[in-house]
Amino acid sequence: MIWAYAVEQAAAIRERRVSAYELMERYLDRIEPWDQTLRSYVTVDTDGALAAARTADARVLSAERESLPPFHDVALSVKDVVDVAGMATTHSSRALVNNVAALDDGVVERLREAGFIVLGKTNVPEFCTSTTSSDLNGICRNPWDLERTPGGSRGGQRRLFRQVSALCPTVPMVPVRYVYLRHFAGWWD
């Protein structure tokens, strides 16, 4: 199921073929052993994502099932330049390490309304200026050649794409103001 399209994941959760919690655990289990080396994530909201998955499962079992949003409990990640309430938005700069967002960016609000859960924030170059490397978050590595970086401001998410979505159910494809949704344009990169 971790290889499924976002629409298929939402349908599987809604139809109770998989629980939202189980699916979220699978992604978190993939992130943990690999990300220390690959450094695609700068923040993983494990507790928040699992809590949201529990709530999602409860909604599926309740009378609210018919009114679930289209992407109910599908996880995604956003670049570390987009505000997510309660998470630091550092732009990979030490100067912004304590810059914790009080509110979601507008695009995050709309994604949440559609049912998405923000799993975490991905690595970017400091202020999106070079290859995906910064003093704060280190170098994001290409999973096929650890001596290389996927490069650019999409490096953390591009690395996720190159690992064929093994770490996150939604990976970079088409930019929607710093957010990338899976399988919209497989031609990218």
Side-chain angles (χ1 to χ4, degrees):
M1 182 88 316
I2 64 172
W3 307 102
Y5 291 93
V7 171
E8 293 169 349
Q9 288 180 7
I13 291 166
R14 187 176 288 106
E15 295 164 7
R16 297 171 47 190
R17 288 182 279 133
V18 65
S19 76
Y21 191 86
E22 177 186 11
L23 191 57
M24 193 64 68
E25 278 189 318
R26 288 181 189 173
Y27 288 112
L28 292 167
D29 287 346
R30 295 291 298 166
I31 292 168
E32 194 276 323
W34 291 103
D35 206 51
Q36 286 298 323
T37 301
L38 300 175
R39 298 177 122 10
S40 61
Y41 280 96
V42 299
T43 303
V44 177
D45 185 14
T46 301
D47 294 338
L50 290 174
R54 278 190 202 100
T55 301
D57 283 335
R59 287 187 68 196
V60 168
L61 296 174
S62 76
E64 296 178 53
R65 185 173 174 190
E66 297 305 316
S67 64
L68 294 175
F71 293 100
H72 183 67
D73 194 49
V74 175
L76 63 77
S77 300
V78 297
K79 290 169 104 174
D80 186 31
V81 296
V82 177
D83 284 343
V84 176
M87 290 187 198
T89 301
T90 68
H91 298 259
S92 288
S93 173
R94 290 191 187 282
L96 296 174
V97 75
N98 294 317
N99 181 37
V100 177
L103 302 170
D104 285 339
D105 185 277
V107 71
V108 173
E109 287 177 3
R110 288 185 293 280
L111 288 165
R112 288 188 197 271
E113 288 169 6
F116 287 101
I117 293 175
V118 178
L119 177 61
K121 297 181 93 175
T122 58
N123 203 349
V124 296
E126 188 169 12
F127 298 112
C128 295
T129 58
S130 63
T131 61
T132 310
S133 172
S134 72
D135 289 338
L136 180 62
N137 296 316
I139 299 171
C140 181
R141 297 291 180 187
N142 181 325
W144 309 118
D145 183 349
L146 296 177
E147 298 302 312
R148 296 174 186 237
T149 176
S153 69
R154 293 186 205 124
Q157 292 183 335
R158 185 173 291 154
R159 203 277 308 143
L160 290 173
F161 174 69
R162 288 195 173 131
Q163 198 169 5
V164 197
S165 72
L167 298 181
C168 183
T170 55
V171 293
M173 291 301 193
V174 175
V176 183
R177 192 170 169 218
Y178 308 123
V179 179
Y180 298 83
L181 305 180
R182 180 179 183 190
H183 298 298
F184 276 55
W187 51 265
W188 183 78
D189 196 37

